[in-house]
Amino acid sequence: MENYLLAMAVFAGCYALMALGLNLIFGLAGMINLGLVGFFAIGAYCSALLTVKLQVPLLLAWPAAILAASACGVGVALVTARLRGDYLAIVTLGFSEVIRLVASNEIWLTNGTDGISAIPAPGRGVLTPLLFNLQFMVIVWLAVGLAALLVARLSAAPFGRVLRAIREDDVIASVAGKPVLVFKLQAFAIGAGLMGAAGALYAHFNAYIAPDSFQPLVTIYVVLALTAGGTGTVRGAVLGAILVVALTEGTRFLGGVIPGLAPVQIAALREAIIGIVLILLLTYRPGGIIPERPRTHRLEVS
Amino acid sequence: MTLRTSRRTALLGGLAAPFVSRLAVAQSGPIRLGTLTPQTGAGGPYGPAMVKVAQALVAEINAAGGVAGRRIELVNEDDETNPDAGVRAARKLIDVDKVSAIIGTWASAVTTAVAPLAWENKVMLFTVSGADSITRLPHQGYIIRTQPNTYLQSTTVGKYLASIGAKTVFALSAQTPFAVDSYNRIAEVLAQNGAKAVGDVIYDASKTSFRSEVDQALKTKPDALFLNSYTPDLAVILRELFRAGYDGKKLTYGYAANAKLLETVGADVAEGLISFAPSPDLGSPAYAKVKAILGSDPDPYSCQVHDHISLVALAIGKAGAATGLAIHDTVRGVGDAAGTKVTSAVDGLKLLAAGQKVNFEGASGPCKFTSAGDIEGCRFRFDVADKGKYRLLGLI
């Protein structure tokens, strides 16, 4: 059981990293990004390919994965600079599907739909599975801690203030003299980098990745995590990620609780419960569990 | 000599008691096995029947007294036909439910993702996935596959195409892990039999039109087309071939040429489509049992799950222990050619209990495996679409 919980904590950590990245892009800067699984995939493939094909050490492969995802983030942000709302959502969704299709078709590089297996990780096969999971859980949550600190600092800094201004109205922000495009690029670069980091950690923990691991469902889960936790808040992003993994995994234990149901009915019930809980949550707490507090500055009246 | 119980030994005994009883429970408690099948997603049409067969068989074994006096307890998980979800479900089966074998992984990507967990935790993995790459993994014998691999299937296809007089063959293949391997092997076999593979197009199955692919294929004027497709894309391709007036031979996999396909495209478009599938052993009592459990003609995967459960039960019966390692060590010994032929786990367990050897032959045929874990041989059935119905051409 401990072993399983630790593994789930690792997955929750990966989701939390992605939710933090999304918090910067969508929560603060207001750019709807439905392509985050694409950045996740780039991070995963980059780190996996570097370590498996070129035997690059992990400590170099992980930063490389973050940089690669970041660079793609800048690329996507440049291409979509003039898009907003639904249009941005569609284009980013398309981006992540393109990444997945490239991964399934460029067989010479990615091994196609066979995927990449035997991705190394420190201690795999040497440590007991329990210790290995524990070690990885610590690594992932240290990364989450660092990322949370980074996003919180950025959010409180003048940088975060400009992003929020862009979210509310980018015309006003540019009238106020803020280079909107530069800020958008920076938000995308940092956010995509965090998603790439999540991908790299995920690939090395799982030891196997395939294009099928990067379906749009992951994007949906992370967007749900952020909206359920509280868009625009760091604690909300992390809490939401834990909630989503707890929901999807916790419902597995229904089979043991409700007797007389066929597995296919339990599978359907699981999906229904996950949906209902999230609908209820967003109906009664539209701002998420930890809603963003409006930041007001009291003017000193002399 | 008299045996006196001092307070000290009584105390020691008392302290040891919980450990002794726990040990006793571990040896007499239920044997836990997991199924990991697709209940939702692309494999959704197959998973429910697979679990139903597994549950019925376990109930039968338990009713007959279980394995070595122990009941089998089945834990069923949904892999959602997705490697990510599959891994999490497998972790639950291994770490929480402590199963000694995982049965029924269907999609190749799920099997490949779950496999490392199986061998790292010494849990046996029984799969119905077809991708050749699976048994090439460094699995130390922890994978047993009852589905004939691409190599075996493609060899059969190549020989069959040559035998029906196709001199040139063009392949249209959906992008799958086995598309390339499959074409290469067919080309090899055709060449050995005086025929020729003239080309291959690998396409994205989610497209809605395949006109350019079909044009490319027909330009070579092939005697036969090998359609390595799934049902939805096959339907589109068949319509386009019909429109183009193609009258050569068409061969596809049995899982693509199902009742749904006939419903979708109609009798005229499907006419003459030959489909082949690894065939269960249609005359076997085990096959009849699976058919009775499901109330209809079973698909090959349900038959294979029947064999998985039987193999596990027999292996545990033979080993006298229910760990993954014990199954790993004895599973090949229950298809012993020198033993008595049995088609049901219950009969086999009785023989094993009497100290005899058994030769298990299941619903999908003889269960003999290579050192890599692949099934050594199996039968294939060929059907042809004839006026809106499938007609059995023969078994090979």
Side-chain angles (χ1 to χ4, degrees):
Chain A
M1 187 74 181
E2 305 80 26
N3 215 337
Y4 169 73
L5 289 178
L6 286 173
M8 293 314 122
V10 171
F11 291 127
C14 289
Y15 278 20
L17 273 177
M18 280 192 277
L20 284 168
L22 184 66
N23 188 39
L24 209 62
I25 299 173
F26 172 60
L28 293 180
M31 294 179 283
I32 300 179
N33 179 358
L34 293 187
L36 57 94
V37 72
F39 302 113
F40 183 56
I42 288 168
Y45 268 101
C46 179
S47 186
L49 287 172
L50 283 176
T51 48
V52 171
K53 293 211 165 170
L54 302 176
Q55 280 83 38
V56 172
L58 272 185
L59 288 179
L60 288 177
W62 282 349
I66 296 173
L67 282 180
S70 249
C72 286
V74 171
V76 170
L78 274 176
V79 172
T80 60
R82 302 166 72 92
L83 299 178
R84 245 182 280 173
D86 301 349
Y87 301 98
L88 182 58
I90 298 281
V91 172
T92 49
L93 188 65
F95 160 77
S96 72
E97 283 296 277
V98 166
I99 296 292
R100 194 166 65 84
L101 289 175
V102 169
S104 5
N105 289 293
E106 294 306 314
I107 301 170
W108 60 276
L109 179 68
T110 62
N111 208 20
T113 43
D114 271 357
I116 303 171
S117 50
I119 304 169
R124 189 193 302 287
V126 183
L127 299 174
T128 62
L130 186 71
L131 274 179
F132 176 77
N133 285 1
L134 182 67
Q135 165 204 286
F136 224 97
M137 195 274 287
V138 171
I139 295 175
V140 168
W141 280 92
L142 272 179
V144 173
L146 275 175
L149 204 65
L150 173 77
V151 176
R153 294 279 299 181
L154 286 176
S155 169
F159 178 77
R161 210 157 58 220
V162 178
L163 290 189
R164 275 188 293 271
I166 292 172
R167 175 183 73 190
E168 300 307 329
D169 193 330
D170 57 356
V171 177
I172 293 182
S174 65
V175 166
K178 302 294 177 193
V180 171
L181 181 63
V182 173
F183 276 94
K184 280 186 174 178
L185 290 184
Q186 287 172 337
F188 242 103
I190 302 170
L194 290 178
M195 292 162 192
L201 291 168
Y202 173 86
H204 290 271
F205 179 64
N206 236 7
Y208 171 74
I209 51 170
D212 275 356
S213 318
F214 305 104
Q215 283 170 355
L217 186 67
V218 178
T219 301
I220 309 278
Y221 277 150
V222 175
V223 172
L224 277 174
L226 184 65
T227 33
T231 311
T233 66
V234 170
R235 281 181 302 154
V238 177
L239 192 68
I242 297 173
L243 178 80
V244 163
V245 173
L247 253 182
T248 52
E249 285 308 307
T251 43
R252 279 192 197 287
F253 294 87
L254 279 175
V257 185
I258 311 173
L261 282 184
V264 62
Q265 291 168 315
I266 293 168
L269 189 63
R270 261 188 75 198
E271 292 183 344
I273 289 178
I274 295 169
I276 290 170
V277 169
L278 291 166
I279 290 171
L280 287 179
L281 183 69
L282 292 179
T283 308
Y284 291 102
R285 286 193 78 90
I289 302 171
I290 305 173
E292 188 183 18
R293 279 175 292 122
R295 291 169 197 242
T296 46
H297 293 275
R298 210 175 293 151
L299 287 175
E300 297 288 329
V301 183
S302 54
Chain B
M1 190 181 128
T2 54
L3 201 71
R4 280 171 49 205
T5 311
S6 70
R7 269 185 297 183
R8 191 170 292 166
T9 49
L11 188 63
L12 273 176
L15 277 177
F19 298 100
V20 172
S21 62
R22 187 173 294 173
L23 203 65
V25 168
Q27 279 168 352
S28 65
I31 297 165
R32 309 191 81 153
L33 304 176
T35 67
L36 184 58
T37 52
Q39 300 295 319
T40 51
Y46 296 105
M50 293 163 81
V51 178
K52 201 170 165 193
V53 170
Q55 285 175 322
L57 207 59
V58 164
E60 184 195 305
I61 294 170
N62 284 341
V67 180
R70 296 170 64 182
R71 294 183 69 249
I72 298 179
E73 211 173 274
L74 207 57
V75 188
N76 306 299
E77 282 298 332
D78 177 13
D79 67 25
E80 301 170 36
T81 328
N82 174 311
D84 187 37
V87 161
R88 281 184 267 151
R91 284 189 181 274
K92 185 211 164 226
L93 287 173
I94 292 170
D95 294 331
V96 181
D97 300 314
K98 312 270 183 218
V99 300
S100 46
I102 294 177
I103 286 161
T105 53
W106 183 84
S108 293
V110 173
T111 307
T112 314
V114 168
L117 288 173
W119 76 68
E120 278 168 17
N121 291 285
K122 301 202 185 321
V123 168
M124 274 304 283
L125 179 63
F126 290 80
T127 176
V128 304
S129 304
D132 282 2
S133 55
I134 290 169
T135 41
R136 291 192 205 123
L137 295 168
H139 60 78
Q140 305 151 28
Y142 280 97
I143 297 178
I144 287 283
R145 159 160 60 189
T146 44
Q147 177 79 354
N149 61 11
T150 307
Y151 187 85
L152 189 57
Q153 300 207 24
S154 307
T155 308
T156 314
V157 168
K159 281 185 185 158
Y160 181 80
L161 285 171
S163 77
I164 58 172
K167 291 284 165 219
T168 52
V169 177
F170 194 95
L172 286 167
S173 315
Q175 162 68 286
T176 57
F178 48 88
V180 176
D181 286 346
S182 178
Y183 176 74
N184 290 342
R185 178 61 192 157
I186 290 173
E188 214 173 282
V189 176
L190 284 172
Q192 288 163 5
N193 290 280
K196 202 171 159 217
V198 290
D200 180 29
V201 175
I202 292 182
Y203 62 81
D204 173 9
S206 57
K207 280 173 48 169
T208 50
S209 163
F210 299 103
R211 176 145 308 175
S212 63
E213 286 87 346
V214 165
D215 284 350
Q216 207 176 330
L218 295 188
K219 219 178 279 170
T220 64
K221 301 201 187 338
D223 292 338
L225 279 176
F226 176 54
L227 306 171
N228 190 346
S229 316
Y230 293 109
T231 309
D233 36 309
L234 182 60
V236 181
I237 290 174
L238 286 178
R239 282 204 194 100
E240 278 166 11
L241 285 173
F242 184 71
R243 233 176 265 143
Y246 173 74
D247 58 359
K249 297 179 174 70
K250 302 167 287 220
L251 180 75
T252 190
Y253 279 105
Y255 55 71
N258 50 21
K260 183 99 188 289
L261 181 83
L262 289 182
E263 248 172 59
T264 318
V265 301
D268 289 344
V269 171
E271 188 67 21
L273 176 68
I274 304 171
S275 58
F276 84 103
S279 173
D281 190 355
L282 301 178
S284 152
Y287 179 82
K289 188 195 287 171
V290 178
K291 189 170 171 177
I293 292 169
L294 294 175
S296 60
D297 279 336
D299 59 78
Y301 307 120
S302 304
C303 293
Q304 291 177 37
V305 165
H306 167 279
D307 299 351
H308 294 169
I309 296 274
S310 308
L311 284 169
V312 171
L314 291 171
I316 294 173
K318 188 175 165 76
T323 60
L325 184 66
I327 302 171
H328 168 270
D329 291 346
T330 50
V331 71
R332 283 182 175 77
V334 298
D336 188 341
T340 316
K341 185 183 155 185
V342 290
T343 56
S344 105
V346 172
D347 294 347
L349 285 168
K350 277 183 202 144
L351 290 176
L352 285 172
Q356 296 186 34
K357 288 178 176 171
V358 294
N359 180 14
F360 175 72
E361 289 194 6
S364 60
C367 291
K368 305 220 173 5
F369 301 96
T370 64
S371 55
D374 275 317
I375 189 115
E376 278 183 3
C378 90
R379 311 191 72 164
F380 290 86
R381 66 177 287 162
F382 287 80
D383 291 84
V384 64
D386 182 9
K387 300 188 183 68
K389 281 205 177 75
Y390 294 110
R391 180 167 56 80
L392 182 66
L393 281 175
L395 286 169
I396 289 176

